[in-house]
Amino acid sequence: QVQLVESGGGLVQAGGSLRLSCAASGLTFSRYTMGWFRQAQGKERELVAATSWSNGITYHAASVKGRFTISRDNAKNTVYLQMNSLKPEDTAIYYCAAKATSAVLTRDYDYWGQGTQVTVSS
């Protein structure tokens, strides 16, 4: 049974930092592309960042490039999202997801976490 468990969300002031973690179990983590999505209230879920299992390629959405960094530790079965220079518009529920395909831009994710709330105050 695959489980993805996010942690690290919370309330932070604008300009601050948070690091989200997603611990995976029940799958061969090193063979899964991992992604972070977010969904703000009243908006569609969007892909924030992804890291491919096969070639180390990462993707960051234009809205977070230069501020957020995705990384993974295959030994710990964990993917991270380091978020710096946070803005109020980054407020959302952040979800971790896993997929067996290697492409970072496709959205065919197989498994999802429950999400963690990030709130950025102005």
Side-chain angles (χ1 to χ4, degrees):
Q1 180 179 352
V2 176
Q3 281 193 314
L4 303 176
V5 180
E6 302 99 335
S7 61
L11 173 64
V12 64
Q13 288 188 328
S17 298
L18 284 173
R19 188 175 82 154
L20 304 183
S21 300
C22 172
S25 61
L27 52 72
T28 304
F29 182 79
S30 61
R31 300 299 294 268
Y32 276 77
T33 292
M34 301 300 297
W36 284 100
F37 289 74
R38 68 184 181 188
Q39 186 165 20
Q41 196 167 7
K43 296 188 177 181
E44 292 187 357
R45 189 173 297 188
E46 64 170 334
L47 176 63
V48 175
T51 173
S52 174
W53 67 267
S54 69
N55 52 21
I57 288 178
T58 59
Y59 163 82
H60 295 82
S63 58
V64 306
K65 194 171 289 186
R67 300 188 298 121
F68 291 10
T69 303
I70 190 171
S71 63
R72 64 191 297 160
D73 186 338
N74 288 341
K76 295 183 178 180
N77 287 2
T78 301
V79 61
Y80 305 97
L81 186 67
Q82 178 66 45
M83 306 187 295
N84 300 327
S85 302
L86 282 159
K87 305 175 181 180
E89 51 263 43
D90 294 318
T91 295
I93 299 175
Y94 284 72
Y95 298 90
C96 170
K99 65 188 183 87
T101 57
S102 62
V104 292
L105 292 179
T106 60
R107 312 277 174 116
D108 52 334
Y109 282 80
D110 302 303
Y111 305 105
W112 294 83
Q114 292 299 306
T116 185
Q117 177 71 47
V118 171
T119 304
V120 184
S121 63
S122 56

